[in-house]
Amino acid sequence: MIHGYFLGALHDLVAWLLYPVIGALLLALFMLLVECGIALAERFKTLALYRQQSLTRFEHYAQKRLERSDLLARCGPILGLMGTLIPLGPGLTALGDGNIEILAIALSVAFDTTVLGLLVGLVAYVISRLRRRWYEQTWQQMTEADS
């Protein structure tokens, strides 16, 4: 009997997580758009300004920027997978009950969150790779100028 209550509470907790996961995905998408804008500014303006600064200041800046884009690259797909799996439980239950409409809605949410999570991860990964290359070039130019 306790086993049934425990499983019911676990199911309710997981179902409750769907909206925070969707909210986190939307926040990650917003942060990704901000990072895209910052990356464009870096490419055409900011890195040229940092070449005139100290190496430690540039290192701190580069580390902060890379941490944020790396975090988005890892969290986007994780949130997408969570958004996929959470609605599948009620969707499969609805299939067992013969309610195809609920199953269709659950699958739609599952696929949408998967695509959104993968999009966030992919674009953030590309930004991270580009930044690493830009920062290495800037670092080399700064160390050559100091020599």
Side-chain angles (χ1 to χ4, degrees), residues 4-17 86-91 93:
Y5 290 125
F6 179 73
L7 290 179
L10 181 64
H11 177 72
D12 290 341
L13 174 67
V14 169
W16 179 83
L17 287 175
I86 292 170
L88 287 182
T93 302

Side-chain angles (χ1 to χ4, degrees), residues 89-112:
L92 292 174
T93 302
L95 178 63
D97 295 339
N99 192 339
I100 301 300
E101 287 180 33
I102 292 177
L103 175 63
I105 292 169
L107 288 175
S108 175
V109 170
F111 291 134
D112 291 346

